[in-house]
Amino acid sequence: MFHLDRGPAIAAVTPGSAAARVGLRAGDVLVTIDGVPLPAATGGKATFAGVQAIHDRLAAALASPPAQLVVERAGRRVPVELPADLGCPSFVQLVPSAKRDAEADGRTVTISSAVAEYARDDDELAAPIAHELAHNILGHRAALRRDRVSKGLFAGFGANGRRLRETEDEADLTGVELMAAAGYDPAGAIRFWNRFGPASSQLIGDGTHRGWRARVTAIAAKVAATRHQP
């Protein structure tokens, strides 16, 4: 489906990005990064760990830009000097599951296929992704561990619950900003959570999050404020 049978290839290039400016194209196969050869295709099979390892190597190269790449394009090898854009380093992965769930572990955002199917359009899908990405950007996992906040059966009670709800509120509002900055309609967050809240007991309503109506009200206010920013 993703044409990775030839090796680790570029699936898409964001318009206006550093990659676009230096002429990288969708379908280019990465051959070397800073002179180090990348593993070739193995029967068209790829693993998430393998892709993650290549990402880590590229991220390390971009820490001292430009990264020196060689890509294969139309049967010939093309050298490319790739500068670095500022961004939020985090993986986003889709996992097959009938459970509507999403999580962030500080490094990776995981969205279940059930959540992806529930979203009616790209703007709605961007909402849970942006929420979880915000957790990673804000360092919530490490902060909660440092504060000894648990996520067990009774996590939603007392000071423990208040601290968890604070992080969820922060992720809601920062997620709206991320959606707008990435070119998505942040109103998609209002539509998504307005439907998702009463339809699911996961992510919402377990005591670690505010009630879905309060969350949607806060998100709507943030969307309105974001639209009025210069």
Side-chain angles (χ1 to χ4, degrees):
M1 181 183 294
F2 296 105
H3 306 290
L4 297 176
D5 52 308
R6 296 174 296 134
I10 297 173
V13 177
T14 302
S17 66
R21 294 194 299 271
V22 298
L24 285 173
R25 305 174 188 174
D28 285 349
V29 177
L30 287 168
V31 179
T32 68
I33 297 177
D34 281 353
V36 180
L38 298 181
T42 55
K45 295 181 180 179
T47 65
F48 181 73
V51 173
Q52 194 170 42
I54 293 170
H55 175 277
D56 289 346
R57 188 177 298 179
L58 182 58
L62 287 171
S64 300
Q68 303 296 327
L69 310 181
V70 174
V71 300
E72 184 175 301
R73 180 187 302 156
R76 61 190 185 91
R77 295 192 172 186
V78 180
V80 177
E81 287 192 349
L82 179 63
D85 278 333
L86 290 175
C88 307
S90 193
F91 284 96
V92 178
Q93 65 174 344
L94 180 71
V95 296
S97 174
K99 184 179 179 181
R100 292 176 187 161
D101 199 10
E103 63 179 8
D105 63 5
R107 175 180 173 81
T108 302
V109 169
T110 301
I111 303 291
S112 73
S113 56
V115 167
E117 291 166 359
Y118 187 79
R120 290 177 174 171
D121 53 40
D122 286 351
D123 293 320
E124 286 199 4
L125 179 57
I129 294 176
H131 174 92
E132 299 302 335
L133 179 59
H135 279 309
N136 284 352
I137 294 170
L138 296 171
H140 283 159
R141 187 180 182 91
L144 292 175
R145 188 183 300 116
R146 185 179 62 247
D147 296 342
R148 298 183 179 180
V149 175
S150 68
K151 286 193 173 184
L153 180 61
F154 301 105
F157 295 94
N160 193 95
R162 286 194 297 273
R163 184 70 181 97
L164 285 171
R165 288 189 290 275
E166 285 175 2
T167 64
E168 294 302 331
D169 290 346
E170 290 174 357
D172 279 346
L173 303 186
T174 302
V176 169
E177 295 178 356
L178 292 173
M179 289 179 67
Y184 293 96
D185 180 3
I190 301 173
R191 298 194 302 273
F192 179 85
W193 295 116
N194 212 21
R195 290 190 303 111
F196 193 85
S200 176
S201 61
Q202 301 163 35
L203 299 180
I204 290 182
D206 60 359
T208 62
H209 300 68
R210 287 198 290 169
W212 69 268
R213 290 182 179 85
R215 288 186 69 185
V216 170
T217 298
I219 289 170
K222 181 64 174 181
V223 170
T226 300
R227 285 178 168 167
H228 285 90
Q229 290 177 355

